[in-house]
Amino acid sequence: MNLDVTYPRRKTTPCRVGSITMGSGHPVVVQSMITEETRNVEACVEQIIGLAREGCEIVRVTTPSLGEAECLEEIKAKVREQHGDVPMTADVHHQGTKIAIEAAKHVEEIRVNPGLFVFRKPSDKLEWTEAEHAAEREAIKDSFVPVVEACKANNRAMRIGVNHGSLSERMLVTHGDTPDGMVESALEYLKICEEHEFTNLNISAKASRVPIMLAANRLMVKRMAEEGMAYPMHLGVTEAGDGQYARVKSTAGIATLLSEGIGDTIRVSLSEDPINEIPVCYEILQALGLRKTTVEYIACPSCGRTKFDLPTVLREVRNATKHLVGLDIAVMGCIVNGPGEMADADYGYVGAAGGKITLYRAKEPVKHGIPQENGVQELVNLLKEDGKWVEPGEKVSRNLTELRTV
């Protein structure tokens, strides 16, 4: 398989979050958020390490008050002591100036929500004059510039994270409950950052409805280009729920944008244990050819021509080979479509007449007439002959099989 055949990526300014770089041709970064209360330090440490071991590359921690921000120092130290480096993001919302400044001392990234950062109680205003807009932008600067300076001083990243459900009243009155309001809200903060020569940034424009999420991200990219900006995009469908539909919904939003070249880091937001989010992220990226972290199995849906119990055989092949990260293995039920459909696979297991199977190396049949009961073992033997086999205990690292993203 030609591993360089990937979607053309949007060219972006790099954003460095500790040891991780997003954008600028780097692999799409996988991240999540813990659910433990930040003051429960030991529980946070355990959950962060669990996520990191599953493959999460940036972990977000809620930081609603100064007390939680101060806890980040101990959390960070214990994670480093017990596991090693895990880049972390402090999630800051209401009236967050002092909180964000404290958090910037301890973790690699600060997330700011423009709709809540300078919080105003709801009013009955039906319109905003330009003078009122200007006054509000000055109030934002007063609260936000110290955070920008703290990030610069501590070499931290910042995510400007806009949510459809938490736009400020000013943006709702001016732009409506629309992607336009989301984008303009983010741009106000981006322009302040640039005025103060801070560009270690990434942007998110999340919504719980996929069409709104898609429109907001496309518009964000367009408006940034018009402003001469090219910051990385963090993708996600927020509040997606749980179970299969949440996974489908998240995939519909994230994969659509990735296929258009938009997106540099992703989170699948599930109302479940956050560790369940990580495999979904990697599967989305693998399906699009952006990262390869598992074996790719190609298998037909089965039909009357199938020469064996395909679900059982696929399961047997997977159980024997799932640790061989980097390989593409096809399990095809018959000779009619099998060889053509599996043309890009490294190895193929194809049903033949008389209860036999044929093994392929790429497009070449190399072993014929194998009894079905011996098929999986013969596949393993072929892998050993070709030097592709490692014992299950020697599982290949994710990082050894990343695909280029440019």
Side-chain angles (χ1 to χ4, degrees):
M1 181 180 179
N2 180 2
L3 299 186
D4 289 336
V5 180
T6 56
Y7 294 99
R9 311 299 304 146
R10 171 176 166 259
K11 295 186 182 301
T12 58
T13 305
C15 179
R16 299 169 306 282
V17 184
S19 59
I20 295 291
T21 301
M22 65 179 71
S24 189
H26 288 80
V28 178
V29 176
V30 170
Q31 59 178 285
S32 184
M33 183 175 186
I34 65 169
T35 55
E36 297 289 349
E37 292 187 4
T38 310
R39 292 177 187 268
N40 189 345
V41 171
E42 296 300 331
C44 288
V45 170
E46 181 179 355
Q47 197 170 37
I48 290 167
I49 292 174
L51 283 166
R53 285 175 174 161
E54 187 66 19
C56 186
E57 295 165 308
I58 300 174
V59 179
R60 186 155 44 116
V61 180
T62 187
T63 317
S65 74
L66 191 59
E68 278 85 1
E70 291 168 346
C71 290
L72 295 175
E73 181 177 17
E74 185 179 2
I75 292 170
K76 187 70 183 177
K78 289 191 173 184
V79 168
R80 186 177 286 120
E81 177 187 357
Q82 296 176 29
H83 175 78
D85 178 59
V86 179
M88 291 168 50
T89 301
D91 201 44
V92 179
H93 286 277
H94 298 82
Q95 307 297 105
T97 304
K98 291 182 179 179
I99 301 167
I101 290 171
E102 177 65 25
K105 299 175 185 176
H106 311 303
V107 299
E108 290 81 359
E109 183 179 51
I110 306 301
R111 182 273 174 116
V112 172
N113 183 338
L116 299 174
F117 190 75
V118 177
F119 183 69
R120 299 287 189 246
K121 291 183 179 180
S123 68
D124 295 324
K125 290 178 69 69
L126 298 178
E127 62 178 320
W128 285 69
T129 66
E130 182 50 42
E132 289 172 326
H133 277 289
E136 188 64 10
R137 285 193 288 266
E138 287 302 313
I140 290 171
K141 286 184 180 181
D142 289 343
S143 295
F144 184 54
V145 169
V147 177
V148 172
E149 296 299 335
C151 287
K152 288 169 62 178
N154 291 283
N155 194 27
R156 306 307 191 191
M158 181 186 294
R159 171 157 69 98
I160 307 297
V162 180
N163 277 10
H164 181 234
S166 58
L167 290 176
S168 69
E169 183 183 61
R170 178 169 63 96
M171 287 296 166
L172 288 172
V173 169
T174 305
H175 299 283
D177 191 10
T178 65
D180 299 79
M182 298 170 67
V183 170
E184 293 305 317
S185 185
L187 283 171
E188 283 190 345
Y189 280 69
L190 286 175
K191 289 175 181 178
I192 294 171
C193 289
E194 291 201 336
E195 286 172 8
H196 291 267
E197 300 181 335
F198 178 63
T199 58
N200 196 28
L201 298 158
N202 63 96
I203 318 302
S204 65
K206 295 189 178 184
S208 60
R209 296 188 182 278
V210 171
I212 295 173
M213 176 263 196
L214 294 174
N217 279 271
R218 289 166 178 154
L219 181 60
M220 188 75 241
V221 168
K222 179 177 181 290
R223 290 286 288 113
M224 278 199 291
E226 291 170 354
E227 297 287 342
M229 302 174 180
Y231 297 112
M233 294 298 296
H234 168 128
L235 304 183
V237 178
T238 191
E239 299 166 346
D242 66 349
Q244 179 179 346
Y245 182 63
R247 287 159 171 80
V248 171
K249 189 175 181 180
S250 295
T251 301
I254 293 170
T256 298
L257 290 169
L258 288 173
S259 72
E260 297 172 8
I262 297 170
D264 306 279
T265 180
I266 64 174
R267 182 199 174 188
V268 171
S269 299
L270 300 178
S271 302
E272 304 175 17
D273 186 328
I275 206 164
N276 295 339
E277 299 174 359
I278 309 307
V280 187
C281 290
Y282 279 107
E283 287 166 7
I284 291 171
L285 296 176
Q286 176 142 333
L288 292 170
L290 294 173
R291 294 183 72 165
K292 189 162 190 175
T293 52
T294 64
V295 178
E296 180 85 10
Y297 292 100
I298 301 163
C300 62
S302 190
C303 70
R305 295 189 302 268
T306 300
K307 302 302 182 183
F308 50 73
D309 181 355
L310 195 140
T312 298
V313 172
L314 177 58
R315 184 170 59 251
E316 291 171 350
V317 170
R318 179 183 285 112
N319 288 341
T321 62
K322 62 186 177 183
H323 63 292
L324 302 175
V325 175
L327 288 182
D328 293 347
I329 298 175
V331 179
M332 310 302 288
C334 73
I335 203 69
V336 175
N337 293 320
E341 295 296 336
M342 62 173 229
D344 287 335
D346 299 306
Y347 293 91
Y349 182 117
V350 181
K356 307 293 184 179
I357 66 152
T358 301
L359 292 180
Y360 283 70
R361 182 190 295 116
K363 298 179 182 180
E364 178 188 1
V366 292
K367 292 191 178 186
H368 301 269
I370 302 169
Q372 289 182 11
E373 61 269 21
N374 299 335
V376 175
Q377 184 56 54
E378 285 300 316
L379 174 61
V380 171
N381 292 342
L382 178 60
L383 291 167
K384 289 180 177 179
E385 291 169 19
D386 290 354
K388 301 293 187 180
W389 181 261
V390 296
E391 294 302 321
E394 303 171 29
K395 185 177 180 181
V396 180
S397 167
R398 293 184 190 277
N399 295 327
L400 298 181
T401 57
E402 305 295 5
L403 304 190
R404 295 194 304 112
T405 61
V406 292

